[in-house]
Structures are given as structure tokens and as C-alpha cells.
Amino acid sequence: MKKLELIYEGKAKKIFTTDITEQLIVEFKDDATAFNGQKKGEINKKGVLNNEISIIFFDLLAKHQIPHHQIKRISAKEVLVEKLEIIPVEVVMRNKVAGSLAERIGLKEGTMLKKPILEFYYKNDELGDPMINQFHIDSLELATVDELEEMSWLAFQINEILYDFLQEKEIDLIDFKLEFGKNKAGKVILGDEISPDTCRFWDLETGEKLDKDRFRRDLGNVTAAYQEILKRIQDGDNK
Ligand code: ADP
Ligand code: TMP
Ligand code: ASP
């Protein structure tokens, strides 16, 4: 399998075509951005760490029959994936109040939610990914009602799988963002990545932040936090 042309360079990853039409290579970068690209920087070793972390999470989800794009690890920074037509809706799942939810509803970060909250954001950098609901998605035809139902159902399943797995690793899964797409057969599949860039992970005992909030909020020791996540999820067998 050959890596061919760079077709997209995003804020955190590069996408390459391969000699197989329906397969792409994703290369994880060390670049980090926050606040819709307004804050820019680099996190030492992030490309390698996020690739390895994301691979472990996708492998775990595969064991639980969650359909996803990952085919195989290519190198420390690269993974082979199934090409998807990405649905321009970012799906956020929250177990505890943090980040934009804390600001929006005025509850303290860390407040436990009685039930997980599912949110949708329009994936559009120019607009700063505004929050939308199922009626916007339906009316603007960003996804069909059936596709959105499938994405939502998968997001709740994924939350349960990741939450239980991470509790055993002494990690509190506060919230995370998912992206879905459609494959050639029209099936809704989980795409993109699952990493400390796209999730909030807090140490279960101390509440220490082990994710990109360390970069967003200038808390320091960013690489060490990502390394700690990889170390913990590598420990023992992934159930
Ligand atoms: P951004 O585009 O927000 O800057 P990235 O740097 O992470 O983000 O770029 C990766 C891009 O690849 C994202 O736009 C994402 O939606 C897209 N993508 C993720 N998985 C797939 C896939 N399997 N097929 C096609 N595109 C994908
Ligand atoms: P938020 O509290 O800033 O809305 O973020 C919710 C979750 O989504 C958090 O785990 C970080 C993740 N996220 C992304 O992956 N990409 C983004 O662009 C944003 C804003 C959040
Ligand atoms: N991913 C977004 C950006 O790059 C925001 C974030 O992760 O905080 O700006």
C-alpha cells in the first residue's frame, strides 16, 4: 500500500490518498490549536501520542461492534483509514460540566450531570463551529433523520464503553467530541480521532487535567499529560 498525495492539511492532521481509492492515510501532527485556531502552538510528541492513543480507543470500540474507519496502524504517526464523506456535525457527549457548558449554563466545572448530555455543533471553522440542534440538522440537510438517530445512538454506546474502560484506568471521562461519516455503502461510521485533543480526561482521584485543556489554559506539562493517558490505557488487557 502506497502513500500518495496530500489532499488535506487540517489543524491537527494531514490526509493522504493511497493506491487504494477507498483508503486514506491520516498523519497526526504535533501542531496544536485552540479557540478555533486563534491560539497556535506545538505539543512535543503529540502526533505520535495521539495516533497511539486513538488506535487503542478505536480497537476497544471495534471489540464492542462499533463501526469505525480505522483499518490499521501504519507507523508511529500514521494510521490507515476507510475514506468517509464526513457529516459536518460534531457530536459532543458530556458526563460532567466543563468547558463551554460551564460557561453557557453557569454551573461549576466538575458538576456531575444526572444523565449524559448530547450536543451537536455545525462543523464550520469560518463560523467557529456553532451549536445547533436536530431541527437545524434536518432543515439544513446536514444529515438525515435516520443518520442523526444512528450517530446519537452510537455516541451513547461509545460513551458507556469509554467511560467504563477509563474508570478502570483511574481516568474520569468528562466529555468528548466525535465525528461520523458515510462510507461508500452509505453506512454511518465513526471517523476522525479519539485523543486528549478531543476528550476531557481528569485523574479520577485528584481531578488533575490530562488533556488539551493544559494547552488551552496554559497549565504546563502538556506532553506529560498525554504520555500519562497513553501509559494508563496501555496497561493490561483492553476489555
Ligand atoms: P480540522 O479539519 O478541524 O482542522 P484535522 O486537522 O483533525 O481537523 O483534520 C482531519 C480532517 O479529516 C477533519 O476535517 C476530519 O473531519 C477529516 N476526516 C477524519 N476522518 C476521515 C475519514 N475517514 N475520511 C475522510 N475525512 C476524514
Ligand atoms: P467544549 O466544552 O469546549 O464545548 O468542548 C467539549 C468537548 O469537545 C471537549 O472534550 C473538547 C472537544 N472539542 C473538540 O474536540 N474540538 C473542538 O473544536 C472543541 C470546541 C471541543
Ligand atoms: N479544535 C479547535 C481549534 O483547533 C478548538 C479546541 O480544540 O479547543 O481551534
Side-chain angles (χ1 to χ4, degrees):
M1 201 269 319
K2 282 198 204 108
K3 187 176 181 179
L4 297 178
E5 194 194 339
L6 174 70
I7 50 163
Y8 180 79
E9 176 158 6
K11 297 185 290 294
K13 302 190 284 299
K14 290 181 188 171
I15 310 285
F16 295 86
T17 53
T18 68
D19 52 353
I20 302 168
T21 321
E22 290 311 316
Q23 298 186 359
L24 300 171
I25 290 178
V26 175
E27 184 187 310
F28 284 74
K29 309 197 294 179
D30 290 350
D31 298 351
T33 63
F35 315 118
N36 201 27
Q38 287 176 58
K39 181 181 167 107
K40 287 196 176 71
E42 213 176 86
I43 299 173
N44 189 27
K45 303 197 185 107
K46 180 166 83 84
V48 170
L49 290 163
N50 275 359
N51 189 39
E52 303 296 0
I53 291 168
S54 197
I55 286 172
I56 292 173
F57 285 131
F58 276 98
D59 283 348
L60 171 73
L61 294 176
K63 285 185 191 158
H64 291 264
Q65 285 77 49
I66 300 293
H68 65 62
H69 71 163
Q70 185 170 292
I71 298 169
K72 66 169 185 188
R73 181 186 184 278
I74 297 286
S75 73
K77 275 191 191 181
E78 296 166 308
V79 64
L80 184 69
V81 302
E82 182 177 5
K83 181 177 176 179
L84 300 178
E85 184 194 325
I86 294 290
I87 295 168
V89 174
E90 297 194 353
V91 177
V92 168
M93 181 65 76
R94 302 179 185 271
N95 295 307
K96 278 188 177 170
V97 175
S100 69
L101 182 65
E103 282 174 31
R104 198 174 327 113
I105 58 171
L107 278 176
K108 203 168 160 282
E109 279 210 318
T111 307
M112 188 69 198
L113 293 163
K114 293 236 163 75
K115 291 178 181 179
I117 293 178
L118 179 69
E119 296 175 345
F120 305 115
Y121 294 85
Y122 180 28
K123 185 173 155 62
N124 183 316
D125 278 347
E126 275 167 40
L127 300 174
D129 299 344
M131 194 181 194
I132 51 177
N133 65 29
Q134 72 264 41
F135 299 101
H136 298 96
I137 294 168
D138 188 18
S139 179
L140 302 174
E141 297 184 333
L142 302 180
T144 66
V145 172
D146 284 353
E147 285 162 3
L148 191 65
E149 208 171 281
E150 180 71 5
M151 289 157 67
S152 305
W153 184 84
L154 286 170
F156 278 103
Q157 298 295 309
I158 292 166
N159 186 38
E160 282 189 19
I161 296 162
L162 296 182
Y163 187 88
D164 290 349
F165 172 76
L166 288 165
Q167 286 280 311
E168 287 189 15
K169 314 286 178 190
E170 304 280 308
I171 299 166
D172 202 3
L173 178 62
I174 305 301
D175 55 32
F176 58 94
K177 182 265 302 177
L178 302 172
E179 290 185 28
F180 294 89
K182 282 179 282 178
N183 68 7
K184 206 177 169 194
K187 188 171 175 293
V188 172
I189 304 265
L190 179 66
D192 208 49
E193 67 178 277
I194 302 178
S195 75
D197 271 16
T198 62
C199 304
R200 285 196 174 91
F201 297 128
W202 294 1
D203 179 82
L204 198 55
E205 216 177 289
T206 64
E208 186 189 2
K209 295 185 193 336
L210 299 171
D211 56 59
K212 194 174 161 191
D213 271 349
R214 301 204 72 83
F215 169 80
R216 294 189 188 98
R217 303 177 189 193
D218 296 318
L219 301 175
N221 301 324
V222 188
T223 300
Y226 283 55
Q227 279 167 333
E228 179 64 23
I229 292 296
L230 178 58
K231 191 177 129 239
R232 289 199 200 179
I233 66 175
Q234 272 173 334
D235 282 349
D237 277 341
N238 298 339
K239 286 187 192 130

